[in-house]
Amino acid sequence: MQTTNRIVIAGGSGFLGLNLAEYLTELDYEVVLLSRNEPRRQGTWRFVRWDARSVGEWCRELEGAAAIVNLAGRTVDCIKTPDHCDEILRSRVEATEVLGKAVRNIQTPPPVWVQMSTAHRYGDPPECVCDEDSAFGYGLAPFVAREWEAAYARAVLPEMRQVILRTSFVVGRNGGALSRLSKLVRWGLGGTVGSGQQGMSWIHELDMNRLFFRAITAESMQGAYIATAPKPVSNAEFMRALRKSLKRPIGLPAANWMVRIGAPLLMRTDPELALYGRYCVSRRLREEGFEFSYSDLESALRDIYA
């Protein structure tokens, strides 16, 4: 039986974890962040160190907790060297597996485990609009997502309510990829990237937090959902809206060859993150009546940059 209002966020020291921790503590939940490193900002949550690989004293935080939210995994915003690809995969799979060991070592496991995954599981189709029933894609990210979700299926206890959120591009104030894009716009480089037709599926940070909260508290939520706003846009549309929000009417476009040279040299990241994308919508959230606070990109960016 659940004995506390404690929510444990594994891998909680990053952009998504800290935003969620702030949201939950404002709702009077006790929040524990499991992380290798101390969070970049302080709050009323507690930080507990773990290595995301081995069972330790941190397991006691799960005893009687209301929920686990697992966000653990190395950032994909990097140059995809073989070592980095290995870390991207292992960090997700190993963290999920050790949480599975932990819930088997305590008397009162949490009744729900909310697991993050990625909408990149659907690959990079140039035109197809993907929902939860769409075919999965080909490449590194779909492979990592498949192994991540398979590790979750092995780790989670059968009696726990299971929710997977396949997350799209989260736009928010205090970090994430939007902060990189906004810098480019301010430097006058925020034009169309590549063809400009690649899909950008996005969700406002508030709606992401509301989705996490719904997954934690709503008994009706079960299984996999795409965590994305209902109106994906092309890269050209996204950059145009971002320039408008930042009052930068002009942005130099970047051809494919420029991105392939500049992304690793100047941004220390993978050019394919900018050159490819996907259009995703959530059939399940629509059918279950989830109402987005920010369903269109312009209102979402207006809120962030107000």
Side-chain angles (χ1 to χ4, degrees):
M1 181 178 174
Q2 177 198 327
T3 56
T4 71
N5 71 339
R6 185 187 327 117
I7 295 175
V8 179
I9 305 176
S13 64
F15 167 59
L16 287 185
L18 290 177
N19 278 351
L20 178 59
E22 200 167 83
Y23 183 82
L24 293 173
T25 54
E26 288 175 358
L27 295 173
D28 293 326
Y29 281 87
E30 176 192 355
V31 175
V32 177
L33 304 182
L34 300 180
S35 179
R36 291 185 179 90
N37 304 305
E38 288 212 33
R40 294 188 301 275
R41 65 181 193 262
Q42 299 301 308
T44 53
W45 48 79
R46 286 193 294 115
F47 160 66
V48 175
R49 197 177 299 277
W50 75 331
D51 65 1
R53 284 197 169 104
S54 53
V55 173
E57 289 296 305
W58 58 267
C59 292
R60 291 187 295 183
E61 302 296 338
L62 297 174
E63 186 70 59
I68 307 172
V69 179
N70 182 23
L71 310 178
R74 189 203 195 284
T75 179
V76 298
D77 186 4
C78 62
I79 299 172
K80 298 299 192 303
T81 64
D83 283 351
H84 286 168
C85 292
D86 187 69
E87 289 170 14
I88 287 167
L89 175 63
R90 288 182 186 277
S91 62
R92 285 161 173 73
V93 170
E94 290 175 353
T96 305
E97 287 177 340
V98 79
L99 285 171
K101 292 175 183 175
V103 296
R104 287 164 174 79
N105 281 345
I106 57 178
Q107 294 295 314
T108 311
V112 57
W113 179 341
V114 181
Q115 174 71 27
M116 191 171 78
S117 182
T118 174
H120 207 160
R121 175 150 197 184
Y122 299 94
D124 299 293
E127 296 175 358
C128 172
V129 178
C130 300
D131 66 12
E132 285 86 354
D133 298 326
S134 297
F136 296 136
Y138 172 81
L140 173 67
F143 171 75
V144 169
R146 185 188 74 200
E147 295 303 309
W148 200 4
E149 293 184 20
Y152 173 64
R154 295 191 300 269
V156 68
L157 294 171
E159 61 268 26
M160 300 173 90
R161 188 163 56 82
Q162 303 166 30
V163 183
I164 297 171
L165 296 179
R166 294 175 179 150
T167 307
S168 59
F169 176 25
V170 182
V171 296
R173 293 176 179 79
N174 297 313
L178 187 64
S179 61
R180 278 184 174 245
L181 291 180
S182 62
K183 284 180 185 176
L184 291 176
V185 170
R186 289 186 173 106
W187 294 341
L189 302 175
T192 298
V193 177
S195 71
Q197 296 307 302
Q198 62 272 36
M200 294 189 72
S201 300
W202 60 274
I203 184 170
H204 188 284
E205 61 185 354
L206 173 60
D207 284 323
M208 191 70 239
N209 288 335
R210 291 176 59 238
L211 259 184
F212 277 126
F213 182 67
R214 182 182 172 113
I216 290 165
T217 58
E219 293 291 331
S220 60
M221 276 193 82
Q222 182 87 29
Y225 297 77
I226 301 178
T228 191
K231 296 177 183 177
V233 296
S234 68
N235 170 270
E237 291 173 288
F238 190 98
M239 298 310 296
R240 189 182 307 122
L242 187 54
R243 291 195 304 273
K244 181 179 178 182
S245 296
L246 292 171
K247 298 179 172 57
R248 298 294 195 277
I250 297 172
L252 294 177
N256 279 36
W257 66 268
M258 296 167 68
V259 178
R260 292 195 180 280
I261 293 171
L265 284 178
L266 302 177
M267 308 292 286
R268 306 301 298 165
T269 195
D270 180 0
E272 295 195 356
L273 292 177
L275 293 173
Y276 296 99
R278 62 219 60 86
Y279 295 90
C280 293
V281 296
S282 176
R283 174 189 56 78
R284 298 198 65 198
L285 290 177
R286 183 182 69 248
E287 290 176 353
E288 293 177 22
F290 182 81
E291 293 187 7
F292 287 84
S293 298
Y294 299 95
S295 60
D296 66 278
L297 182 62
E298 287 208 358
S299 67
L301 294 177
R302 193 181 311 123
D303 173 73
I304 291 166
Y305 293 113

